[in-house]
Amino acid sequence: FLDEILAQCKNLDIPVDAALAENGCGQFEIKLLPVEDPLKAADDGMLFTQVVKAVAARRKVTATFMAKAFGLQSRNG
């Protein structure tokens, strides 16, 4: 899953730095590198969410970027 996301980001010139598992089940962090152009940074952020959701959909799972998707489980920062 992460390898596919990273490959798609590379294809789209989205500057990713690292991918790692977070504390909660199914939570991951993927860091985007800073870019000087604020418009490119905004585009990278939007494209990144679309990449993640598309890769997840192909695997028949759902990706969410909610801070606390599940009330009784660990949350994102």
Side-chain angles (χ1 to χ4, degrees), residues 2-65:
L2 291 177
D3 287 341
E4 187 175 350
I5 290 171
L6 296 176
Q8 291 296 327
C9 286
K10 183 176 181 178
N11 290 340
L12 293 170
D13 192 33
I14 301 171
V16 292
D17 181 36
L20 54 107
E22 284 288 338
N23 192 30
C25 180
Q27 290 182 345
F28 299 94
E29 176 180 325
I30 300 175
K31 296 179 183 181
L32 301 183
L33 292 170
V35 295
E36 292 197 22
D37 180 8
L39 187 56
K40 177 167 175 22
D43 287 346
D44 288 346
M46 290 302 298
L47 279 171
F48 174 76
T49 60
Q50 292 175 348
V51 165
V52 172
K53 289 180 179 189
V55 170
R58 279 196 293 272
R59 295 168 181 261
K60 303 203 184 325
V61 295
T62 302
T64 180
F65 294 86

